Amino acid sequence: MSFFSKKPTVKDQVRANDKVIKKSQRDLERERRELDRQEKQIESEIKKAAKQNNKQACTVLAKQLINVRNQRTKTYAMGSKMSSIGTQQKLMHSNMKMADAMGNTTKTMATMNKVMDPQKTAQTMRQFEMQNAKMEMTEEMMNDALDDIMNDSGDEEEQSAIVSQVLDEIGIDITGSLADAGAHSGNKVKAPAASSSVEDADLEKMLAQLRS
């Protein structure tokens, strides 16, 4: 045996034991077939002795037949026992693998517990929650401020632009009306003073509606 020979593992041992068990079961099957052959032969000899009325030979052969049958029954029992051993060793091997897996997991968990600090982790999570809440509050305040600025400036500027546009359009209409009135001035017909007051009142009414 070499000094540097590899030590067999549990898996190798289980495989070797399984080969031995299977070989033993094949041997039992061969022995059982041989016993079956002997049983038929003895039964045939008993029949012959009975025909010859040889009671002594029948008695001896009957005892042999009983022994053969008992031996065959033992082979069945032994085969069942060997099958049970094979199944048991496989279950043991499976349990050993599970135990090894649990051992490795336990080592990993122990290493992680040494590295991790539960108090530090909890503190970090609390700080994260505080900073996240602060950020959300800051963002909400900034959004409110921007909304106020946009509402204060944008709406007034937009309203002023609309009013200016409407006044310009009204001014163009008024200018056009005045131009038409100048074209007919040669007739020396003056418009009643009341019409100017009506136009002013209409203009004020329109401006009031625009401001509302």
Side-chain angles (χ1 to χ4, degrees), residues 98-114:
M98 287 190 292
D100 291 340
M102 291 176 65
N104 294 331
T105 304
T106 302
K107 292 179 181 179
T108 303
M109 293 172 64
T111 303
M112 292 299 297
N113 288 331
K114 289 180 181 179

Side-chain angles (χ1 to χ4, degrees), residues 95-164:
N95 291 333
M96 290 179 66
K97 289 195 293 185
M98 287 190 292
D100 291 340
M102 291 176 65
N104 294 331
T105 304
T106 302
K107 292 179 181 179
T108 303
M109 293 172 64
T111 303
M112 292 299 297
N113 288 331
K114 289 180 181 179
V115 174
M116 294 180 63
D117 187 354
Q119 295 181 355
K120 186 176 181 181
T121 303
Q123 183 179 2
T124 302
M125 294 179 68
R126 286 194 297 269
Q127 291 178 354
F128 174 80
E129 291 178 356
M130 291 175 58
Q131 295 300 326
N132 187 36
K134 185 177 180 181
M135 182 178 294
E136 290 179 355
M137 186 180 300
T138 303
E139 183 180 1
E140 185 176 355
M141 293 174 64
M142 292 178 64
N143 290 333
D144 292 341
L146 290 173
D147 290 339
D148 293 339
I149 293 172
M150 296 298 294
N151 291 332
D152 291 341
S153 62
D155 291 344
E156 291 183 358
E157 292 178 358
E158 185 177 359
Q159 290 176 4
S160 299
I162 293 173
V163 172
S164 299

Side-chain angles (χ1 to χ4, degrees), residues 192-203:
S195 64
S196 177
S197 299
V198 172
E199 291 177 357
D200 293 339
D202 293 338
L203 179 60

Side-chain angles (χ1 to χ4, degrees), residues 10-120:
V10 176
K11 185 177 181 179
D12 295 334
Q13 188 63 46
V14 171
R15 189 181 294 109
N17 293 341
D18 191 53
K19 289 181 179 180
V20 173
I21 291 173
K22 289 181 179 180
K23 183 178 181 303
S24 300
Q25 288 177 337
R26 288 194 296 269
D27 293 340
L28 286 175
E29 290 176 359
R30 283 195 295 269
E31 183 178 356
R32 194 177 299 118
R33 287 195 295 270
E34 177 63 22
L35 292 172
D36 290 339
R37 188 187 64 79
Q38 292 179 11
E39 180 182 7
K40 292 178 180 179
Q41 183 179 356
I42 292 172
E43 288 176 351
S44 178
E45 291 178 358
I46 290 174
K47 291 178 182 180
K48 291 180 181 179
K51 289 180 180 180
Q52 296 174 1
N53 199 19
N54 189 347
K55 294 181 180 180
Q56 185 177 1
C58 287
T59 302
V60 173
L61 291 172
K63 291 180 180 180
Q64 291 181 2
L65 181 61
I66 292 172
N67 291 333
V68 169
R69 290 178 176 177
N70 289 337
Q71 186 63 25
R72 185 178 59 188
T73 302
K74 290 179 181 180
T75 61
Y76 283 112
M78 181 59 65
S80 299
K81 183 66 175 178
M82 296 182 71
S83 297
S84 176
I85 292 173
T87 303
Q88 186 176 2
Q89 78 161 357
K90 290 178 181 178
L91 292 175
M92 290 178 63
H93 184 221
S94 178
N95 291 333
M96 290 179 66
K97 289 195 293 185
M98 287 190 292
D100 291 340
M102 291 176 65
N104 294 331
T105 304
T106 302
K107 292 179 181 179
T108 303
M109 293 172 64
T111 303
M112 292 299 297
N113 288 331
K114 289 180 181 179
V115 174
M116 294 180 63
D117 187 354
Q119 295 181 355
K120 186 176 181 181

